[in-house]
Amino acid sequence: MEDVLAGKVIAVNGPIVRAQGLGGIKMFDIAEVGADRLIGEVIRLAGEIAIIQVYEDNTGLKPGDEVISYGRPLSVLLGPGLIANIYDGIQRPLVGISEACGSYIRKGIKLSPLDTQKKWDFRPLVKAGGVAGEGTLLGEVRESPLVMHRVLVPPGVSGKLTKLAPAGAYTIEEEIFTVEAETGTYAGRLAAYWPVRRPRPNRNRKKPVVPLITGQRIIDTFFPIARGGTAAIPGGFGTGKTMTQHALAKWCNADIIVYIGCGERGNEMTDVLTDFPKLIDERNGRPLIERTVMIANTSNMPVPAREVSIYTGVTIAEYYRDMGYSVAVMADSTSRWAEALRELASRLGDMPAEEGFPPYLATRLAEFYERAGLVETLSGSDGDITIIGAVSPPGGDFSEPVTQHTSRFVRCFWALDKTLADARHYPSISWIESYTEYLADIEDWWKTLDARWFDIRNEAMNILLEDHRLEQVVKLVGSDALPPAQQYILLCAETIKNAFLQQNSFDPEDKFCSPEKQIRILSGLLLLYRRGLDLVQKGVGVKQIAALDAVSGLVRLKSEIPNRDLSGIDAHLQRLEEALAALAAAPTGG
Amino acid sequence: MTAEIEYTNLSGISGPLIFVDGVAGVGYGDIVEIRDKTDRLRIGQTLEIDQEKAVVQVFEGTSGLSVTDTRVTFVGRALEIPVDRDMLGRVFDGLGRPIDGAPQVVTDRVMNVNGLPINPWSREYPRDFIQTGISAIDGMNTLIRGQKLPIFSGSGMPHNRIAAQIARQARILTAEEEFTVIFAAMGVKFDVARFFIDSLEESGVLTHSAIFLSLADSPSIERLVTPRTALTLAEYLAFEEGMHVLVILTDMTNYCEALRELSSSRGEIPSRKGYPGYLYSDLASVYERAGRLKGGRGSITQVPILTMPSDDISHPVPDLTGYITEGQIVLERALFNKGIYPPIAGLPSLSRLMKDGIGEGRTRRDHGQVAAQLFASYAKVKRIRALAAIVGEEELSELDKIYLKFGTAFEEIFLRQDYEENRSIEQTLDIGWRMLSLLPKDELYRIGREEIQRYYMPEAENT
Ligand SMILES: Nc1ncnc2c1ncn2[C@@H]1O[C@H](COP(=O)(O)OP(=O)(O)O)[C@@H](O)[C@H]1O
Ligand SMILES: [Mg+2]
């Protein structure tokens, strides 16, 4: 028998409810509130009074209504069946909710996050009788064609493995193993609960050295992120945060994607839901949905559940990391999470710090991003979590608190630029304001692919920086007033922007660009730069070079040459070299 | 049930709020009936409740209420309105009560005005192209059935005409289906409402439109319910009756100001410009009530109108709106001053749902590329104009001069059109190509070779 605490509501202010009589209740315990038994969580204790934030619409709730608690913390259920599923912020299954009550989300619905009827084929990998420690691999279940679900002894449990079920089909509720520990007997099942606000433990943290390949040129080549790293995508509305998150969720080479729609549009989640089952990952020929878990707590869903959604997401990510996978978490948008925090803080009467945000905003952000990383798991394998958070600064102004604090805790900053977005230059990641701190860490990985990589990248970056400097002059005097060599830099930078940086997510070839293709195209652009500059210095006109078909054709390589066969790029560069050579031979011609 | 007890004394009044002491059995969000000395009935809603006291917002405002002689009854449920097809052709106040002299609509069907959040899993992704006949919208910022696409305007600019032109010309190319307009006015003058009613009448859709008015002379707090009342009827018509509903909400800035007023009477900590920190979530609870449902026939398309204070797009109202809606049609003062109608800004306007609603089989294969190229080239025009302002036009390069010609043509021929002019998407795209053909082929780097081959016009043909 579980102990039940029972108390009464004494005050209601929006989703914040005060209750009395729950002696012995702990911080972050779940409370069920009112006749509908709405899910809430204790977020503060003040003497006799428990302050509860309610995760569902609580209109109609009255002083005097009953509140009960089993004294358990707010948790997620982790087990096979998470993949391809979509949940609200507190892990209620949206598909189940729609089957139970139609197109709208009604309150008071309680459904298991995982299918309790479904039988999974379990295959044991060890024998009973041995020692089982935290993270010991016991067996596996094929969760999706892409994901082998590893059944591990959970953190905090170790002792003698006295029972392990034979190969066969089991539901998540059937007992699969027993560990006899000093503290008692632990009965293990395919699924187990874990409190969302508590990071899952690991053996130790390691330095990330492998880049997360995203197929997005400006990211992979110029501002790469490591597997296990952190990145922020700040930008005003319409600058491309969501599209970038979607592109990464689709094409990055993580094993598992956890996509968190946090306080954003309903249709954007619908877009993921309709696209991912149809989109095929070229690397394995399987639909993307088979490696994706979705959390959708859209802007019109209860605000407190939005606050939890990112923890729900990252806990699920840790669960797969612990199996040795590489997991990428997209959170769109962390600003809406911060606003939820602000709204709740203000209802609690907390003293605000900057712009109404509570003083603990920075700590909470730091704690969240700290859950990213490459670790040695309790099983002894490597697993990692990369966290990529969108930030939505009011008025697109990066000096506001969420952007500022986030930039202290992430090591990659992909700043979106309104002017680029207005010109429909996507992704509108600014090559001037963005930065990454992972370059040195992942340099070796790229160099094994192509020894020239680092030099090519830096040379191209220098052209862009020089262009940026020259643009300030051009704004005042026009480009014709510059000496030819500088005009030529403008031409090359323009070509790099259009042929390389700009990438169309809707183009079937261009949406994903392999690292090899990135290097080839960029080295072609540098060929243009070096050879051409030489010609310009010898008196060939910049316009003559610009007029070459082989030069204007560079812009189309990204969409015309497929990733699987790059020979077209080499052929084009051959033509470019010939055309430039012809200009050198007859400088006044053309 | 204790809910029907009448309380006779208020413990205080502040702005649109009243405070009632000694209450019992009252729920958060409950509807409240308030009667003053003269027995005039007002409706309110409980915002906050504890063991002794309830905080109630009064939708009709508190003017004329006194602490004594006011009777308050807690009704024990949320605000509901009757919904029925017969509401089409009628005019209501912000709370859904008829104000056209005809009797209350008779129906058993009532719905909570706050609605319920749509389950993202139950949504159908909107993809059907709506032809508005306006080139700047159809060609570059395509409206999709089920989209929420606001107009960001400034005082004195023709947002109402554009919205009325959309309501009149909007058409789905593939099928004829039941189409209706719901118009909700918050805090605007009577002339604005009159203009819409007249233009709906002229285009013959008034008889199947519903109008909700909470005009400038009504208490500001009523504006907070008005869009919700309108959207509740819209949801009924769209998702239960299978109709395609276009909802025009004007002016959302007035709505937000009413919310600010309420928040400050409650003594809440303000965030930017005095607006409450929850303005985003509150607006989302209005704007997200648009879309389509899986397996359903109908749709709700929202065109909210808002005026940007001092034409400032970073003001919290347009800013937070843009973060929620699926794009925005921005009106530009400079174009307006040049006498161009519709003065739809070339660059900051955006339709996020355009990408999946256009192209082969929907509009035309070249549509996406033409739009992308027009945006990119016009962005260049803006840069060159800035330069020309400094160095003088004569100093510009030949290519830059060509761009300036393109820019003028784009504004005068592509953007500019008549209030009565209804262009087909073919016409819009063809005009787009005429504009692009003013530029050298090599400049069209957002367009594929095949499309250039097919649509680019040599100089001789392009006059
Ligand atoms: N990589 C891209 N390729 C093509 N179009 C893009 C790209 N990124 C953004 N867009 C365009 O910009 C619009 C807004 O992007 P979105 O990611 O929704 O912005 P945000 O989330 O920052 O508000 C999209 O609807 C799309 O039309
Ligand atoms: Mg977004």
Side-chain angles (χ1 to χ4, degrees):
Chain A
M1 249 311 282
E2 278 180 297
D3 284 343
V4 186
L5 304 169
K8 294 250 180 286
V9 171
I10 56 167
V12 187
N13 176 4
I16 298 290
V17 171
R18 278 160 217 267
Q20 216 165 26
L22 294 162
I25 198 164
K26 304 181 296 302
M27 279 292 279
F28 304 124
D29 277 356
I30 303 179
E32 297 183 6
V33 181
D36 288 328
R37 295 197 155 211
L38 307 175
I39 304 279
E41 184 186 14
V42 176
I43 52 166
R44 196 160 291 180
L45 290 167
E48 279 282 88
I49 296 167
I51 299 176
I52 299 165
Q53 76 179 11
V54 179
Y55 292 121
E56 302 179 66
D57 171 23
N58 61 336
T59 48
L61 195 67
K62 320 191 246 309
D65 282 354
E66 194 182 40
V67 182
I68 59 164
S69 172
Y70 297 101
R72 276 195 306 247
L74 183 67
S75 301
V76 286
L77 182 59
L78 302 168
L82 291 167
I83 296 290
N85 227 323
I86 177 162
Y87 297 107
D88 76 356
I90 52 170
Q91 211 202 7
R92 293 188 306 169
L94 291 176
V95 181
I97 289 180
S98 101
E99 281 159 6
C101 63
S103 306
Y104 297 97
I105 301 176
R106 278 170 219 283
K107 57 186 174 181
I109 295 202
K110 301 218 168 22
L111 291 167
S112 167
L114 297 174
D115 189 338
T116 52
Q117 307 297 312
K118 181 167 170 145
K119 295 216 173 224
W120 297 93
D121 273 321
F122 171 75
R123 203 164 65 88
L125 294 172
V126 293
K127 287 204 166 56
V131 175
E134 297 180 303
T136 300
L137 175 63
L138 300 176
E140 58 188 23
V141 158
R142 164 88 32 222
E143 183 174 3
S144 87
L146 289 182
V147 180
M148 183 59 88
H149 195 104
R150 307 202 169 105
V151 180
L152 310 172
V153 176
V157 177
S158 67
K160 190 169 171 226
L161 183 66
T162 49
K163 188 196 124 187
L164 182 62
Y170 302 91
T171 68
I172 55 162
E173 292 184 331
E174 285 172 83
E175 215 172 286
I176 296 289
F177 63 93
T178 321
V179 176
E180 216 58 71
E182 277 172 22
T183 48
T185 310
Y186 178 87
R189 299 177 169 78
L190 288 179
Y193 284 95
W194 186 267
V196 287
R197 297 188 194 271
R198 192 157 96 224
R200 286 172 67 89
N202 54 67
R203 277 197 199 153
N204 66 287
R205 297 174 72 97
K206 301 170 117 183
K207 182 174 139 185
V209 287
V210 177
L212 183 78
I213 296 301
T214 67
Q216 312 303 304
R217 287 183 293 268
I218 185 161
I219 294 179
D220 291 347
T221 297
F222 288 106
F223 306 104
I225 180 169
R227 283 186 177 197
T230 48
I233 315 179
F237 63 82
T239 50
K241 297 178 294 298
T242 304
M243 290 287 301
T244 308
Q245 296 270 33
H246 282 196
L248 298 188
K250 284 174 188 165
W251 311 122
C252 83
N253 63 352
D255 303 315
I256 309 278
I257 303 292
V258 178
Y259 194 96
I260 312 168
C262 174
E264 292 283 312
R265 302 177 183 85
N267 273 330
E268 288 173 348
M269 290 313 295
T270 312
D271 194 14
V272 173
L273 281 165
T274 34
D275 251 17
F276 279 41
K278 284 184 283 189
L279 285 172
I280 301 297
D281 189 340
E282 281 174 25
R283 290 171 291 243
N284 46 44
R286 302 296 313 176
L288 292 167
I289 196 83
E290 292 177 357
R291 64 163 190 179
T292 310
V293 185
M294 286 152 287
I295 314 288
N297 210 96
T298 54
S299 56
N300 55 340
M301 287 161 74
V303 171
R306 188 196 297 170
E307 191 269 328
V308 192
S309 65
I310 66 166
Y311 300 108
T312 299
V314 82
T315 307
I316 291 173
E318 286 171 344
Y319 179 61
Y320 285 98
R321 174 203 65 190
D322 290 347
M323 295 178 206
Y325 288 116
S326 183
V327 188
V329 176
M330 325 286 159
D332 185 12
S333 156
T334 58
S335 294
R336 305 303 165 216
W337 165 82
E339 284 165 11
L341 208 63
R342 173 170 71 185
E343 186 171 334
L344 297 164
S346 127
R347 288 188 193 270
L348 288 168
D350 289 350
M351 270 305 280
E354 311 137 281
E355 302 201 9
F357 287 105
Y360 44 83
L361 170 69
T363 325
R364 296 281 171 87
L365 275 169
E367 282 165 2
F368 171 63
Y369 283 106
E370 201 50 31
R371 291 175 80 166
L374 168 67
V375 302
E376 183 186 346
T377 65
L378 296 178
S379 316
S381 55
D382 279 358
D384 61 72
I385 296 178
T386 308
I387 297 183
I388 298 157
V391 183
S392 318
D397 174 4
F398 290 179
S399 66
E400 58 89 39
V402 183
T403 316
Q404 282 306 311
H405 290 306
T406 303
S407 70
R408 292 162 52 204
F409 308 124
V410 297
R411 295 185 58 205
C412 238
F413 193 77
W414 298 323
L416 301 183
D417 182 307
K418 179 93 181 94
T419 315
L420 291 175
D422 277 353
R424 271 43 174 184
H425 173 111
Y426 294 119
S428 61
I429 297 174
S430 159
W431 46 93
I432 303 300
E433 278 186 82
S434 303
Y435 60 80
T436 177
E437 293 173 10
Y438 295 108
L439 263 186
D441 301 343
I442 57 153
E443 194 184 332
D444 286 343
W445 183 93
W446 272 95
K447 282 190 169 164
T448 49
L449 191 70
D450 191 317
R452 300 168 302 165
W453 179 72
F454 207 53
D455 298 332
I456 293 177
R457 180 214 173 262
N458 290 345
E459 191 172 354
M461 194 66 213
N462 284 334
I463 297 175
L464 290 168
L465 292 175
E466 181 64 8
D467 168 75
H468 179 66
R469 201 182 61 80
L470 291 175
E471 281 293 345
Q472 312 306 318
V473 183
V474 171
K475 268 192 204 141
L476 298 175
V477 297
S479 57
D480 280 4
L482 296 180
Q486 294 191 338
Q487 286 185 36
Y488 189 66
I489 290 179
L490 295 183
L491 172 72
C492 290
E494 185 75 11
T495 315
I496 294 175
K497 291 176 209 168
N498 290 329
F500 193 84
L501 297 177
Q502 201 244 326
Q503 186 165 1
N504 184 353
S505 286
F506 307 127
D507 183 291
E509 283 307 336
D510 196 27
K511 64 188 181 194
F512 174 86
C513 187
S514 69
E516 292 81 0
K517 185 170 163 185
Q518 297 185 28
I519 293 186
R520 297 259 189 126
I521 296 183
L522 196 57
S523 59
L525 296 170
L526 290 175
L527 175 92
L528 171 71
Y529 171 68
R530 291 193 209 114
R531 295 283 163 84
L533 192 60
D534 204 35
L535 293 182
V536 170
Q537 269 151 1
K538 288 185 180 135
V540 177
V542 173
K543 294 202 173 76
Q544 278 179 283
I545 300 178
L548 294 174
D549 279 346
V551 173
S552 55
L554 286 168
V555 173
R556 296 202 161 79
L557 294 178
K558 58 186 184 186
S559 52
E560 290 180 353
I561 310 293
N563 286 306
R564 67 192 133 69
D565 178 8
L566 300 178
S567 57
I569 297 181
D570 299 338
H572 188 91
L573 298 187
Q574 181 76 40
R575 280 197 298 282
L576 177 66
E577 274 196 81
E578 284 163 12
L580 290 174
L583 270 188
T588 48
Chain B
M1 185 86 191
T2 47
E4 293 288 330
I5 297 179
E6 193 176 84
Y7 298 86
T8 42
N9 280 320
L10 307 182
S11 61
I13 302 179
S14 160
L17 301 177
I18 59 172
F19 304 88
V20 193
D21 273 0
V23 297
V26 173
Y28 165 65
D30 277 1
I31 283 305
V32 186
E33 293 179 356
I34 302 122
R35 285 185 179 77
D36 62 14
K37 248 197 307 236
T38 64
D39 220 34
R40 178 181 154 205
L41 172 69
R42 305 179 206 218
I43 304 293
Q45 187 174 21
T46 318
L47 292 181
E48 201 179 321
I49 175 88
D50 63 24
Q51 282 158 309
E52 295 100 42
K53 145 180 121 292
V55 181
V56 175
Q57 61 173 336
V58 186
F59 295 124
E60 290 96 331
T62 50
S63 103
L65 282 185
S66 65
V67 176
T68 49
D69 292 326
T70 298
R71 287 165 296 139
V72 177
T73 317
F74 292 86
V75 183
R77 57 179 153 68
L79 185 59
E80 290 171 334
I81 58 157
V83 288
D84 195 84
R85 251 176 196 270
D86 283 348
M87 291 171 80
L88 296 175
R90 302 286 309 271
V91 185
F92 306 91
D93 72 0
L95 298 177
R97 298 172 296 206
I99 49 170
D100 52 3
Q104 178 75 42
V105 176
V106 189
T107 168
D108 295 337
R109 189 84 171 90
V110 291
M111 283 169 76
N112 182 335
V113 297
N114 293 314
L116 286 167
I118 298 178
N119 185 333
W121 197 81
S122 305
R123 283 182 184 270
E124 176 82 39
Y125 195 73
R127 316 184 129 240
D128 296 337
F129 164 65
I130 299 180
Q131 180 175 295
T132 66
I134 300 173
S135 290
I137 297 177
D138 295 352
M140 297 170 73
N141 303 288
T142 316
L143 178 64
I144 302 293
R145 194 149 73 177
Q147 183 170 16
K148 36 190 183 291
L149 188 63
I151 300 177
F152 288 9
S153 185
S155 46
M157 289 206 273
H159 41 269
N160 294 322
R161 281 165 77 82
I162 297 172
Q165 190 172 2
I166 294 174
R168 176 167 35 115
Q169 297 182 167
R171 161 166 307 102
I172 299 289
L173 295 185
T174 45
E176 267 318 307
E177 276 155 339
E178 228 181 334
F179 174 74
T180 172
V181 178
I182 292 182
F183 173 73
M186 286 89 66
V188 298
K189 294 223 180 62
F190 180 71
D191 336 342
V192 173
R194 183 82 262 162
F195 167 78
F196 271 99
I197 295 172
D198 289 348
S199 70
L200 290 174
E201 182 156 30
E202 269 164 42
S203 41
V205 290
L206 189 62
T207 49
H208 41 268
S209 304
I211 314 241
F212 292 84
L213 299 180
S214 172
L215 299 177
D217 54 358
S218 313
S220 71
I221 187 102
E222 187 184 313
R223 294 171 202 164
L224 295 180
V225 200
T226 312
R228 296 189 162 81
T229 318
L231 286 163
T232 303
L233 178 61
E235 275 169 354
Y236 170 78
L237 295 173
F239 303 137
E240 295 189 26
E241 298 283 330
M243 299 171 84
H244 293 287
V245 189
L246 173 67
V247 181
I248 298 172
L249 306 169
T250 188
D251 176 327
M252 286 306 287
T253 305
N254 296 336
Y255 170 91
C256 295
E257 280 168 0
L259 194 69
R260 176 167 67 177
E261 217 175 297
L262 173 68
S263 168
S264 95
S265 342
R266 294 185 70 189
E268 291 170 337
I269 302 161
S271 81
R272 284 174 71 217
K273 296 214 163 127
Y275 289 93
Y278 51 79
L279 180 59
Y280 173 85
S281 300
D282 186 277
L283 282 173
S285 74
V286 171
Y287 296 142
E288 278 288 318
R289 292 172 78 174
R292 313 196 54 172
L293 296 181
K294 257 186 215 164
R297 284 171 299 141
S299 64
I300 298 177
T301 308
Q302 269 190 37
V303 178
I305 297 171
L306 58 88
T307 44
M308 301 181 278
S310 340
D311 291 351
D312 175 11
I313 196 169
S314 69
H315 181 278
V317 175
D319 189 49
L320 294 179
T321 297
Y323 270 121
I324 302 164
T325 53
E326 284 143 348
Q328 64 279 339
I329 303 291
V330 184
L331 305 191
E332 186 184 291
R333 187 72 61 185
L335 288 171
F336 175 65
N337 289 343
K338 279 191 202 168
I340 291 173
Y341 174 90
I344 296 178
L347 302 183
S349 301
L350 167 73
S351 163
R352 294 163 188 265
L353 297 187
M354 174 172 183
K355 56 192 166 66
D356 297 297
I358 60 168
E360 199 148 23
R362 297 184 174 272
T363 53
R364 213 168 76 180
R365 181 192 152 123
D366 55 323
H367 191 163
Q369 297 184 354
V370 169
Q373 189 62 60
L374 285 171
F375 276 118
S377 304
Y378 189 59
K380 192 150 177 184
V381 170
K382 292 264 174 172
R383 281 206 303 276
I384 296 169
R385 281 185 187 163
L387 173 64
I390 295 169
V391 300
E393 244 179 71
E394 319 74 56
E395 295 300 310
L396 296 178
S397 69
E398 280 316 304
L399 183 60
D400 285 355
K401 286 181 188 153
I402 297 177
Y403 266 100
L404 289 187
K405 248 173 68 189
F406 161 81
T408 311
F410 173 79
E411 289 167 1
E412 294 294 337
I413 301 173
F414 185 86
L415 284 188
R416 185 196 283 281
Q417 72 184 83
D418 210 72
Y419 177 57
E420 303 287 339
E421 187 180 351
N422 189 354
R423 294 181 188 162
S424 72
I425 183 64
E426 291 281 334
Q427 284 172 321
T428 289
L429 292 175
D430 289 345
I431 299 172
W433 273 106
R434 268 173 57 204
M435 304 298 102
L436 292 176
S437 301
L438 295 170
L439 298 171
K441 265 187 211 171
D442 277 350
E443 292 295 306
L444 307 186
Y445 51 88
R446 298 281 170 86
I447 300 189
R449 288 182 215 270
E450 275 177 50
E451 284 74 15
I452 292 188
Q453 187 76 25
R454 169 132 184 231
Y455 294 106
Y456 188 83
M457 290 171 214
E459 223 166 314
E461 290 170 35
N462 191 10
T463 41

